[in-house]
């Protein structure tokens, strides 16, 4: 019988139960026992689902209170010095993830740890910080407690653990000249202790995740694997787990690692299966990650079955069937979607349904006639859809076919545009602005929900939202910001809002996916060719502009980010989808400009996230990604200032492509990294204007004026002051008005102090 398992399951709950429990706890409205009870209920449901679908293992260790990398840090007793305060507990974890203000702790206050994207996904992890004085020791029992919890319920448990090399690689040095890889011997001692504890718990298999093996590693990192796993002596069976890309380039190294099996992602790289099967050591198992954990399309189980037949014939019971990666990146349960048409619903599978797909595929692979018949029936809707012409639109395809290099160029180069914009906008030195969104209060959310339910009319909805916009504009004017925004009260999410207003998308009711901590997003699904059938943002933006004499920014989400933060079609290329989006946004830019909006921000926070994991694939992606952004902005006249925004990304390796976007102003996240990200822009001699974020909006901390001054002055040593903007590092929708107004007042005060000093 074929062994089955998943690499992890969503931890937020079917209806975001963990999110609401966390936020209630953070507000002091519940105690730790209530929080732990909610988490335990989620885990029990997840394990029961796996058992009900006859999986060979229940995966434990995939639950995290905030982030699994942060959880690994606490497991290893590796806490940043500023957050050390006795034995780590749950509040320690939350301080690292969210920061801590002076008013909360009665101390100096502590910044949250740096956060960045998990490979090429929209999930964020807390970056471990390393220095020469670091030590590691077991001081956080969550992993072991949850294994015992699952075993007590009768489950056969397979723990998941982030591997030592990936843990080190995903961190950063906080001590100049230090090499974090030198910590590996100390770290392996801690992993040896973890293994000893797992043996005591009678665990047989451990899923040890080393996703960095899918990258193009330097020799020193790659060469460390063999010695590291030779050092780890254990009676446990280790499943070395990779995902997100092919590992055939490093297969000779992998096959020399002291483990008992290998997991590969054949949803992202199906071509690697035969190569890995032929090279697999005789005693190893191969876990085939067949069911795609990163998209919502129902699997063509007939096709998947055929792809695995040869491997099954060669490996027999040594072939396992699994999801490609953790289902963390998938919505939880399609059964909750009551508003989808039957046809559309039959195209999709969420995490719960993907667990069932693993089960049915394995049974069919074992020759079960009922399972084979089920796979054929189950696959039919997706097979029929692939042959349908209803998703293709001739007008859209004609426009894409006619795309030329000229379609991506503005009518004037940046120096000429900058001259025109200076004349038209008349902005002061160090212009202040925000990234776009303002607090989404309960009243704002209730209004949108009431409109969606049909409880209020369009006229009533418009009047109420305009009231929120008016209030936001007045607050900004009172604070003294130079370039205003309308606040985005009408938007549930920066991507979902555009998906709801563009033809070619399907949205969901409960398709939530964790981004970090309690922050969840609800990606839309690309189901057909994309086009803009009517203006989307023009009325809201022009209303806001009518309330003030200051410049009002039009706010759009860029084509690459919409692609990356939705579930794409699998029958056409990502490049084609992005170009369709670019033309739709170009039409919106033209209409905003015609309505008198002279500053338009086209956000692209996901452009680095979309970068393929292999360097050899970077150039092609960057060419079409940059081109799509330029197409979206190409219709803007020289006097119209185009902004873009990026956050929580490492820009060094793509700085030339960031410059190639040719945005007049780029705003970036730099506060958590203490302006470190500006190094790339300084060394590259970035030619256009830059707004480095001067405070972290993901933390409840209110930045002091002196702190902001210090960051601006630091930025001015790297970028000419006449090309600097001052802004937060991201949108403000998750903050409350009290935090927001106080923080922005400090931002404006710090800027006013420095205008004379830095002029």
């Amino acid at each position: 019988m074929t062994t089955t398992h998943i690499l992890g399951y969503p931890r937020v709950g079917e209806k975001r139960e963990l999110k609401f429990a966390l936020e209630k706890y953070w507000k002091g409205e519940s105690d730790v026992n209530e929080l732990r009870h909610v988490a335990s209920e989620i885990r029990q449901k997840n394990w029961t689902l796996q058992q009900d679908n006859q999986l060979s293992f229940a995966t434990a260790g995939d639950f995290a209170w905030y982030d699994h990398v942060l959880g690994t840090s606490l497991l290893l007793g590796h806490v940043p010095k500023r957050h050390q305060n006795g034995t780590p507990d749950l509040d320690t974890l939350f301080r690292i993830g969210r920061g801590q203000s002076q008013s909360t702790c009665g101390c100096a206050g502590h910044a949250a740890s740096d956060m960045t994207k998990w490979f090429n996904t929209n999930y964020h992890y807390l970056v471990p910080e390393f220095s020469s004085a670091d030590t590691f020791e077991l001081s956080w029992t969550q992993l072991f407690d949850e294994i015992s919890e699952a075993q007590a319920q009768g489950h056969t448990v397979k723990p998941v653990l982030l591997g030592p090399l990936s843990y080190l690689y995903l961190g950063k040095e906080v001590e100049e000249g230090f090499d974090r890889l030198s910590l590996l011997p100390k770290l392996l001692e801690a992993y040896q202790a973890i293994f000893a504890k797992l043996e005591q718990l009678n665990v047989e298999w451990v899923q040890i995740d080393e996703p960095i093996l899918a990258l193009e590693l330097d020799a020193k990192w790659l060469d460390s694997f063999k010695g590291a796993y030779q050092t780890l002596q254990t009676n446990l069976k280790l499943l070395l787990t990779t995902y997100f890309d092919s590992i055939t380039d490093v297969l000779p190294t992998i096959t020399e690692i002291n483990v008992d099996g290998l997991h590969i992602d054949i949803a992202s790289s199906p071509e690697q299966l035969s190569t890995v099967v032929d090279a697999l050591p005789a005693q190893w198992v191969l876990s085939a990650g067949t069911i795609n954990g990163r998209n919502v399309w129902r699997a063509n189980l007939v096709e998947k079955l055929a792809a695995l037949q040869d491997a099954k014939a060669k490996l027999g019971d040594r072939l396992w069937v699994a999801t490609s990666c953790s289902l963390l990146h998938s919505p939880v349960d399609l059964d909750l979607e009551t508003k989808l048409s039957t046809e559309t619903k039959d195209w999709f599978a969420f995490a719960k349904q993907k667990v069932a797909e693993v089960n049915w595929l394995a049974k069919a692979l074992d020759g079960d006639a009922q399972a084979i018949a089920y796979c054929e029936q189950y696959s039919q809707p997706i097979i029929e859809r692939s042959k349908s012409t209803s998703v293709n639109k001739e007008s859209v395809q004609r426009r894409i076919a006619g795309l030329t290099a000229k379609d991506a160029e503005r009518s004037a180069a940046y120096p000429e545009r900058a001259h025109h914009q200076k004349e038209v906008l008349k902005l002061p030195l160090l212009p202040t602005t925000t990234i776009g969104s303002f607090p989404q209060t309960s009243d704002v959310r209730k209004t949108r929900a009431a409109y969606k339910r049909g409880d209020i009319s369009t006229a009533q909805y418009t009047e109420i939202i305009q009231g929120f916009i008016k209030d936001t504009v007045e607050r900004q004017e009172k604070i003294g910001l130079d370039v205003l925004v309308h606040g985005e009260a009408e938007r549930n999410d920066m991507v979902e809002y555009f998906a709801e207003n563009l033809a070619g998308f399907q949205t969901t009711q409960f398709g939530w996916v964790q981004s970090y901590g309690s922050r969840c997003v609800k990606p839309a699904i690309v189901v057909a060719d994309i086009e803009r059938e009517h203006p989307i943002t023009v009325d809201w933006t022009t209303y806001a502009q009518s309330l003030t004499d200051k410049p009002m920014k039009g706010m759009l989400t860029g084509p690459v980010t919409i692609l990356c933060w939705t579930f794409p079609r699998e029958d056409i290329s990502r490049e084609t989808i992005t170009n369709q989006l670019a033309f739709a946004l170009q039409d919106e830019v033209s209409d905003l400009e015609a309505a008198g909006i002279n500053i338009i921000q086209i956000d692209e926070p996901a452009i680095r996230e979309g970068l393929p994991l292999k360097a050899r694939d970077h150039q092609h992606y960057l060419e079409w990604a940059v081109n799509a952004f330029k197409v979206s902005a190409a219709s803007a006249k020289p006097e119209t200032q185009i902004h873009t925004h990026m956050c929580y990304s490492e820009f060094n390796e793509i700085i030339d492509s960031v410059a190639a976007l040719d945005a007049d102003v780029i705003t970036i996240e730099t506060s958590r990294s203490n302006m470190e990200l500006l190094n790339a822009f300084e060394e590259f001699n970035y030619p256009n204007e830059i707004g480095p974020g001067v405070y972290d909006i993901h933390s409840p901390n209110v930045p002091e004026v002196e702190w902001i001054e210090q960051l601006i002055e630091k930025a001015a040593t790297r970028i000419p002051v006449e090309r600097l903007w001052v802004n937060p590092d991201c949108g403000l929708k998750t903050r409350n008005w009290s935090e927001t107004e106080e923080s922005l007042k400090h931002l404006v005060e710090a800027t006013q102090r420095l205008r004379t000093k830095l002029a």
Side-chain angles (χ1 to χ4, degrees):
M1 181 179 295
T2 298
T3 299
T4 53
H5 70 119
I6 60 173
L7 270 57
Y9 199 79
R11 54 235 188 182
V12 294
E14 293 177 343
K15 295 184 178 179
R16 297 180 292 164
E17 291 87 348
L18 182 63
K19 168 191 171 66
F20 300 120
L22 284 169
E23 292 174 355
K24 191 175 179 183
Y25 176 74
W26 293 337
K27 292 175 183 176
E29 297 172 357
S30 69
D31 62 18
V32 70
N33 293 325
E34 182 178 338
L35 177 60
R36 290 187 182 279
H37 176 72
V38 171
S40 180
E41 285 192 329
I42 292 171
R43 290 193 297 269
Q44 289 177 37
K45 285 181 181 178
N46 293 352
W47 292 326
T48 299
L49 171 69
Q50 294 168 61
Q51 183 180 58
D52 290 346
N53 281 278
Q54 302 172 35
L55 297 194
S56 305
F57 301 104
T59 300
D62 54 343
F63 178 83
W65 295 102
Y66 201 91
D67 158 54
H68 59 273
V69 181
L70 176 55
T72 305
S73 291
L74 267 72
L75 170 66
L76 296 166
H78 183 231
V79 176
K81 288 183 174 57
R82 63 185 178 278
H83 293 293
Q84 291 177 1
N85 185 19
T87 303
D89 58 13
L90 206 51
D91 290 330
T92 307
L93 184 147
F94 294 143
R95 284 199 305 272
I96 298 170
R98 306 177 70 236
Q100 183 177 50
S101 64
Q102 182 175 358
S103 59
T104 301
C105 64
C107 56
H110 301 296
S113 285
D114 196 8
M115 185 165 63
T116 194
K117 294 294 177 72
W118 176 251
F119 296 87
N120 56 354
T121 75
N122 189 30
Y123 179 79
H124 303 66
Y125 74 92
L126 273 296
V127 180
E129 301 171 11
F130 297 113
S131 66
S132 57
D134 285 351
T135 58
F136 305 95
E137 61 179 345
L138 300 192
S139 56
W140 177 254
T141 63
Q142 178 184 337
L143 173 64
F144 313 117
D145 295 342
E146 289 173 9
I147 291 169
S148 298
E149 181 184 5
Q151 289 174 333
Q153 295 171 27
H155 300 294
T156 301
V157 178
K158 178 208 62 182
V160 53
L161 178 65
L162 182 61
L165 273 301
S166 290
Y167 178 71
L168 279 176
Y169 188 91
L170 294 168
K172 68 175 184 178
E173 292 94 353
V174 292
E175 182 179 311
E176 191 171 350
F178 177 68
D179 180 5
R180 61 189 180 277
L181 192 55
S182 66
L183 292 171
L184 183 59
K186 291 182 186 177
L187 183 60
L188 291 176
E189 291 178 11
Y191 272 81
Q192 191 70 63
I194 294 171
F195 286 175
K197 182 69 173 175
L198 293 176
E199 286 187 40
Q200 293 172 13
L201 291 170
N202 297 314
V203 166
E204 180 184 11
W205 279 95
V206 176
Q207 173 190 319
I208 190 153
D209 285 9
E210 292 285 11
I212 65 169
L213 284 167
L215 305 176
E216 292 177 333
L217 294 173
D218 292 341
K220 70 172 185 176
W221 284 94
L222 187 60
D223 294 344
S224 297
F225 273 91
K226 183 178 178 181
Y229 281 83
Q230 199 66 45
T231 299
L232 292 169
Q233 298 297 314
T234 180
N235 293 318
L236 299 166
K237 294 179 180 178
L238 302 182
L239 181 69
L240 184 70
T241 304
T242 67
Y243 35 82
F244 299 152
D245 209 329
S246 171
I247 48 83
T248 54
D249 290 353
V250 295
L251 199 51
T253 296
I254 288 177
T255 54
E256 293 184 354
I257 297 175
N258 183 31
V259 292
D260 303 277
L262 173 66
H263 173 89
I264 59 173
D265 181 345
I266 59 173
S268 68
S269 302
E271 69 284 349
Q272 68 178 317
L273 178 61
S274 60
T275 302
V276 174
V277 168
D278 291 341
L280 198 72
Q283 72 277 19
W284 283 18
V285 302
L286 177 64
S287 171
T290 309
I291 302 302
N292 191 349
R294 288 187 60 177
N295 211 336
V296 295
W297 294 96
R298 175 180 289 203
N300 183 338
L301 294 179
V302 173
E303 185 181 83
K304 303 290 185 186
L305 179 61
L308 292 178
Q309 295 285 11
D310 186 57
K312 180 67 174 178
K314 291 179 179 179
L315 299 178
D317 289 343
R318 290 195 293 133
L319 180 69
W320 295 8
V321 174
T323 53
S324 62
C325 61
S326 172
L327 295 173
L328 165 70
H329 309 288
S330 173
V332 181
D333 186 6
L334 182 65
D335 292 342
L336 298 175
E337 301 298 327
T338 59
K339 295 184 179 180
L340 295 176
S341 68
T342 302
E343 179 189 32
T344 303
K345 197 168 184 176
D346 283 347
W347 293 344
F348 307 138
F350 291 179
K352 178 182 175 182
Q353 289 71 38
K354 289 177 185 294
V355 174
E357 288 180 342
V358 170
N359 178 36
W360 284 109
L361 179 59
K363 285 182 176 179
L365 198 58
D366 288 334
D368 185 308
Q370 182 182 0
I372 292 170
Y374 176 85
C375 288
E376 292 173 350
Q377 179 184 5
Y378 181 84
S379 304
Q380 202 57 40
I382 210 71
I383 294 171
E384 291 174 356
R385 185 188 183 281
S386 68
K387 299 175 182 177
S388 172
T389 58
S390 64
V391 297
N392 302 310
K393 299 175 183 176
E394 187 178 344
S395 59
V396 176
Q397 295 182 3
R398 207 167 40 237
R399 198 172 185 185
I400 297 298
L403 179 62
T404 66
K406 187 178 179 182
D407 291 316
E409 298 301 329
R410 294 184 67 179
S411 60
Y414 170 72
E416 182 182 342
R417 300 199 308 265
H419 173 75
H420 285 293
Q421 291 159 19
K422 186 176 181 180
E423 292 288 316
V424 170
L425 298 173
K426 296 180 171 32
L427 297 172
L429 185 72
L430 298 173
T432 57
T433 190
T434 63
I435 301 307
S437 61
F438 269 85
Q440 296 265 317
T441 63
S442 59
D443 287 342
V444 170
R445 294 193 298 272
K446 287 175 183 176
T447 299
R448 286 201 307 264
Y451 182 54
K452 204 167 224 179
R453 290 192 304 267
D455 295 345
I456 57 176
S457 67
T458 299
Q460 290 172 311
Y461 173 74
T462 300
E463 183 179 357
I464 296 170
I465 294 295
Q466 284 183 343
F468 291 134
I469 292 173
K470 187 173 186 293
D471 176 64
T472 300
V473 171
E474 289 173 349
R475 289 177 191 253
Q476 291 174 86
E477 288 201 305
K478 186 176 180 181
I479 290 167
L481 292 168
D482 300 307
V483 174
L484 312 188
V485 295
H486 77 289
E488 303 180 13
E490 80 286 1
R491 304 184 192 186
N492 43 13
D493 174 81
M494 66 182 289
V495 171
E496 186 179 14
Y497 176 73
F498 286 91
E500 289 174 338
N501 285 280
L502 290 168
F505 284 94
Q506 174 69 64
T507 57
T508 62
Q509 295 166 270
F510 299 102
W512 296 102
V513 178
Q514 186 183 29
S515 181
Y516 63 87
S518 68
R519 170 75 170 145
C520 298
V521 294
K522 189 151 58 73
I525 308 164
V526 183
V527 294
D529 285 343
I530 299 164
E531 63 181 340
R532 190 193 76 142
E533 297 177 328
H534 54 78
I536 301 170
T537 67
V538 176
D539 287 348
W540 300 121
T541 309
T542 52
Y543 171 73
Q545 182 64 84
S546 74
L547 302 173
T548 180
D549 293 329
K550 291 189 172 182
M552 180 65 58
K553 270 197 294 189
M555 299 300 307
L556 307 177
T557 303
V560 179
T561 297
I562 295 178
L563 170 80
C564 289
W565 293 358
T566 54
F567 294 113
R569 288 167 62 179
E570 294 182 339
D571 58 327
I572 62 175
S573 71
R574 294 165 72 234
E575 178 181 357
T576 297
I577 296 170
T578 309
N579 284 333
Q580 291 178 0
L581 286 162
F583 275 123
L585 291 167
Q586 184 187 96
D587 294 343
E588 188 73 10
V589 167
S590 296
D591 283 351
L592 281 168
E593 187 178 60
I597 303 302
N598 295 115
I599 302 180
I600 302 171
Q601 183 170 309
I602 307 173
D603 287 340
E604 282 292 22
I607 197 163
R608 170 62 181 82
E609 170 191 319
L611 199 68
L613 298 187
K614 299 286 196 293
R616 61 174 174 262
D617 301 323
H618 288 185
Q619 190 57 38
H620 176 64
Y621 161 77
L622 289 169
E623 285 174 357
W624 62 254
V626 167
N627 195 71
F629 177 88
K630 293 175 70 177
V631 168
S632 68
S635 62
K637 298 173 183 175
E639 57 268 28
T640 297
Q641 191 174 71
I642 297 294
H643 290 221
T644 192
H645 172 68
M646 299 179 183
C647 57
Y648 297 108
S649 292
E650 298 296 335
F651 297 113
N652 304 55
E653 60 191 290
I654 64 163
I655 187 64
D656 54 344
S657 296
V658 172
L661 295 173
D662 197 29
D664 299 304
V665 181
I666 179 172
T667 52
I668 56 173
E669 179 278 323
T670 53
S671 61
R672 282 201 182 199
S673 63
N674 199 28
M675 294 288 166
E676 287 176 14
L677 284 176
L678 276 185
N679 293 339
F681 290 85
E682 179 188 21
E683 292 166 10
F684 180 77
N685 194 21
Y686 185 75
N688 300 11
E689 298 177 40
I690 301 179
V694 294
Y695 79 88
D696 175 21
I697 66 88
H698 297 88
S699 168
N701 293 353
V702 173
E704 297 299 327
V705 174
E706 291 74 19
W707 167 256
I708 296 175
E709 275 191 89
Q710 172 198 333
L711 287 180
I712 299 171
E713 288 185 301
K714 194 169 186 178
T717 65
R718 291 165 165 79
I719 306 296
V721 68
E722 64 272 13
R723 291 199 278 113
L724 275 179
W725 285 62
V726 181
N727 45 264
D729 64 12
C730 206
L732 297 160
K733 67 181 290 185
T734 60
R735 304 266 56 92
N736 63 46
W737 271 114
S738 175
E739 296 166 350
T740 297
E741 290 187 296
E742 189 174 359
S743 297
L744 290 178
K745 285 175 183 175
H746 289 185
L747 180 150
V748 170
E749 183 179 344
T751 303
Q752 290 172 341
R753 289 185 188 180
L754 289 173
R755 277 178 178 155
T756 301
K757 184 176 179 181
L758 296 178

